């Protein structure tokens, strides 16, 4: 069964589309051809019957009135055959072209009908005729008038069916050819895209496939492929920069730790063990923090969809503020029941990273606001520290990005906090950006709200 199907069903899409088009053409064209042949045959037969009936009735009337001559003059056409047949089957009179011919038929109208129609292929010629038999009287031995008209060759033979079959086959072949050429034209573009993609490697993602003109699906596929290649190129380039930056960031504390240990091994008598341990612990803590952030970003970027729950964003922010001491006070204005759907641990990390950044750079004050606006949960965190230049407001979200010395990681940051915060926001369908304020810096987080909320603000200082 499977072997037979494999032998019949083409492997290529061109062949499959063409075969399907031919099957559909056969489904529609064959019944149409049969119907056309039947209609043509019936129409010709009806036309011939009308003419033979007219000739037979006209001849019968002339016979009853005694005005019929021999030879019988043609009524409709000169080539019509008209015979007057007596009770014994003898030809009493006929048209000139029927002289010496045997009777065209022996069918007599059944009583009480005085007229009957039939077709015959004997007696007149090798061609078939449509015949009408008209009885001149009601008694069984009445004279019968036979009027015959020659059928066209297409009707009298199978030439009509053959002609219609040839036309149907030609039309189906044309449909198949057009379908094949159309499929081939479209698939040739796909073949070109496939060939171009085969030459694109990870070492060179700058190449793009040619986009055909138009707005069809193949043009859309080419644009999608190019857009995907652009995203892939950007992602690979980002990963390369990230790997280079990460190796540098990890190498620095490791190098410091190694230098301290080598110094202690070379000059143990001049080594302060307490200072050595404290320095090693600081470098180890920094390494642990960087590795923890890297692992979190790796899980966030490559892990599957985590189980989400309803999270009160304002309550989560308040809990994070309460659990951490800080050198700069945090004023809050939190609206109740600002609910979002998300992973609470990830959102907790997001808010914590924003607070870490604010506390490192604030001078005297940090202000956090949480509210809902038109189906969006909004969290803003403002500090009165140095402003971020407009040109660097996107760079601060890059991994290990350095903006200037005043916002360097010498204050304890790993350079991954804001990048992690934005990745978490994007993973929850939201945004995180820097907003312009007269003094200081404001980070704005927007997440889709889970439902309509009540606007009952509660302020806390």
């Amino acid at each position: 069964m499977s072997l037979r199907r494999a032998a019949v069903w083409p492997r290529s899409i061109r062949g499959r589309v063409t075969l399907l088009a031919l099957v559909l053409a056969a489904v529609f064209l064959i019944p149409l051809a049969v119907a056309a042949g039947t209609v043509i045959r019936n129409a010709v037969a009806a036309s011939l019957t009308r003419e033979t009936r007219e000739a037979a009735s006209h001849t019968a009337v002339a016979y009853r009135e005694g005005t019929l001559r021999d030879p019988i003059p043609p009524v409709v056409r000169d080539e019509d055959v008209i015979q007057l047949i007596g009770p014994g089957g003898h030809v009493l009179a006929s048209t000139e072209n029927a002289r010496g011919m045997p009777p065209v038929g022996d069918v007599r109208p059944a009583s009480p009908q005085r007229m009957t129609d039939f077709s015959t292929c004997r007696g007149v010629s090798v061609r078939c005729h449509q015949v009408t038999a008209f009885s001149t009287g009601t008694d069984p031995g009445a004279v019968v008038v036979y009027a015959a008209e020659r059928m066209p060759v297409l009707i009298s033979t199978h030439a009509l069916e053959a002609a219609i079959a040839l036309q149907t086959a030609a039309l189906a072949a044309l449909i198949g050819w057009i379908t094949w050429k159309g499929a081939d034209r479209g698939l040739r573009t796909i073949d070109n895209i496939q060939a171009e993609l085969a030459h694109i490697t990870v070492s060179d993602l700058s190449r793009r496939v040619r986009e055909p003109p138009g707005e069809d699906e193949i043009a859309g596929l080419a644009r999608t492929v190019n857009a995907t290649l652009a995203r892939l190129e950007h992602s690979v380039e980002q990963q390369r920069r990230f790997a280079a930056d990460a190796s540098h960031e990890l190498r620095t504390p490791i190098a410091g730790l190694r230098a301290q240990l080598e110094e202690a091994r070379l000059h143990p008598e001049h080594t302060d063990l307490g200072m050595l341990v404290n320095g090693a612990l600081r470098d180890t803590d920094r390494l642990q923090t960087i590795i923890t952030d890297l692992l979190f970003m790796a899980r966030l970027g490559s892990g599957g969809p985590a189980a989400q729950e309803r999270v009160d964003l304002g309550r989560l922010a308040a809990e994070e503020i309460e659990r951490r001491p800080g050198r700069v006070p945090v004023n809050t204005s939190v609206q109740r029941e600002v609910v979002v759907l998300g992973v609470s641990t990830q959102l907790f990390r997001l808010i914590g990273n924003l607070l870490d950044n604010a506390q490192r750079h604030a001078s005297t004050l940090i202000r956090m606001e949480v509210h809902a606006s038109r189906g969006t949960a909004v969290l803003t965190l403002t500090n009165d520290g140095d402003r971020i230049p407009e040109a660097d407001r996107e760079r601060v979200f890059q991994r290990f990005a350095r903006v200037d010395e005043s916002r360097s990681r010498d204050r304890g940051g790993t350079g991954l906090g804001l990048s992690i915060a934005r990745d978490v926001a994007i993973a929850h369908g939201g945004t995180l950006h820097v907003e312009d304020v007269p003094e200081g810096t404001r980070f704005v987080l927007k997440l889709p709200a889970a439902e309509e909320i009540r606007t009952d603000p509660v302020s806390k200082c």
Side-chain angles (χ1 to χ4, degrees):
M1 184 69 177
S2 59
L3 293 177
R4 182 180 302 174
R5 182 180 302 174
V8 174
W9 190 249
R11 293 185 178 181
S12 67
I13 296 179
R14 296 176 180 86
R16 294 174 187 173
V17 173
T18 303
L19 180 60
L20 181 60
L22 290 175
V23 171
L24 292 177
V27 169
F28 286 99
L29 291 179
I30 291 177
L32 185 62
V34 173
T38 303
V39 170
I40 293 174
R41 191 174 285 278
N42 291 339
V44 173
S47 176
L48 295 177
T49 300
R50 285 194 301 269
E51 294 179 0
T52 56
R53 285 186 174 185
E54 181 182 354
S57 60
H58 186 275
T59 303
V61 170
Y63 172 75
R64 286 196 300 267
E65 294 177 351
T67 60
L68 185 63
R69 298 182 309 219
D70 188 21
I72 302 173
V75 177
V76 180
R77 298 180 183 178
D78 293 340
E79 63 270 16
D80 293 347
V81 174
I82 302 176
Q83 292 179 330
L84 195 65
I85 307 299
H90 303 289
V91 179
L92 303 179
S94 67
T95 54
E96 185 65 34
N97 57 358
R99 291 290 186 184
M101 290 183 182
V104 295
D106 54 4
V107 178
R108 299 178 64 88
S111 181
Q113 300 292 334
R114 299 181 61 184
M115 182 184 299
T116 185
D117 302 306
F118 62 95
S119 60
T120 181
C121 298
R122 68 179 183 86
V124 180
S125 66
V126 294
R127 299 265 303 265
C128 294
H129 284 67
Q130 179 69 29
V131 183
T132 297
F134 193 99
S135 179
T136 58
T138 58
D139 57 295
V143 175
V144 178
V145 177
Y146 290 90
E149 186 168 342
R150 188 167 54 185
M151 292 182 178
V153 177
L154 290 176
I155 302 300
S156 61
T157 63
H158 294 290
L160 176 63
E161 287 76 5
I164 293 178
L166 288 176
Q167 292 177 357
T168 302
L171 183 58
L174 179 62
I175 292 174
W177 181 80
I178 293 175
T179 303
W180 174 273
K181 298 300 288 186
D184 181 70
R185 180 180 180 183
L187 292 175
R188 193 182 300 119
T189 305
I190 297 180
D191 292 340
N192 294 335
I193 294 175
Q194 182 181 2
E196 293 173 359
L197 283 176
H199 290 85
I200 297 176
T201 60
V202 178
S203 59
D204 182 16
L205 293 173
S206 61
R207 298 182 60 174
R208 297 293 183 267
V209 301
R210 287 176 294 179
E211 297 182 5
E215 299 295 331
D216 57 9
E217 291 81 357
I218 297 178
L221 173 64
R223 289 192 293 269
T224 302
V225 168
N226 284 336
T228 302
L229 288 173
R231 291 195 300 268
L232 183 60
E233 181 185 16
H234 176 73
S235 177
V236 170
E237 183 63 27
Q238 221 175 17
Q239 292 297 328
R240 288 173 179 169
R241 290 197 304 267
F242 174 70
D245 293 340
S247 63
H248 173 74
E249 296 298 324
L250 291 174
R251 190 182 298 115
T252 300
I254 291 176
L257 181 60
R258 183 180 180 86
Q260 295 179 53
L261 294 176
E262 289 180 348
E263 180 70 20
R265 186 179 65 177
L266 292 175
H267 306 285
E269 68 278 2
H270 300 297
T271 300
D272 187 336
L273 184 59
M275 292 181 60
L276 175 65
V277 172
N278 290 334
L281 287 175
R282 284 195 302 270
D283 290 338
T284 303
D285 289 341
R286 179 169 176 78
L287 278 173
Q288 182 178 5
T289 303
I290 293 175
I291 292 173
T292 301
D293 288 345
L294 290 175
L295 290 176
F296 182 87
M297 297 183 73
R299 288 194 301 269
L300 188 65
S302 61
Q308 294 187 339
E309 57 185 346
R310 295 171 60 84
V311 180
D312 189 331
L313 192 62
R315 180 178 299 176
L316 197 69
E319 291 176 356
E320 174 64 14
I321 292 173
E322 290 176 358
R323 79 171 186 86
R324 63 167 59 221
R327 64 179 183 84
V328 180
V330 181
N331 294 342
T332 61
S333 177
V334 178
Q335 196 175 60
R336 292 180 181 176
E337 298 183 6
V338 181
V339 181
V340 298
L341 288 177
V343 183
S344 59
T345 55
Q346 295 180 4
L347 294 175
F348 198 80
R349 181 68 180 274
L350 186 158
I351 297 173
N353 287 0
L354 291 179
L355 284 171
D356 287 340
N357 180 78
Q359 288 176 342
R360 282 198 301 269
H361 301 294
S363 298
T364 59
L365 181 65
I366 298 174
R367 181 169 180 81
M368 176 182 287
E369 299 180 359
V370 179
H371 65 278
S373 174
R374 297 179 180 180
T376 302
V378 182
L379 183 149
T380 61
L381 191 64
T382 308
N383 71 80
D384 60 351
D386 297 325
R387 295 184 63 194
I388 301 177
E390 185 175 356
D392 296 327
R393 289 177 184 173
E394 282 298 314
R395 289 189 58 217
V396 297
F397 295 106
Q398 297 178 4
R399 300 168 181 177
F400 302 116
R402 288 184 173 88
V403 178
D404 54 41
E405 293 300 324
S406 65
R407 301 186 66 87
S408 68
R409 290 189 299 281
D410 295 339
R411 301 186 185 182
T414 64
L416 295 173
L418 293 179
S419 180
I420 290 175
R422 171 167 276 190
D423 287 349
V424 172
I426 294 174
H428 286 74
T431 60
L432 177 63
H433 63 276
V434 179
E435 195 172 86
D436 191 19
V437 291
E439 295 182 357
T441 302
R442 174 178 294 169
F443 288 87
V444 179
L445 169 67
K446 293 183 179 181
L447 298 173
E451 61 180 11
E452 293 294 330
I453 61 170
R454 297 192 302 268
T455 56
D456 186 9
V458 176
S459 298
K460 175 183 175 182
C461 296

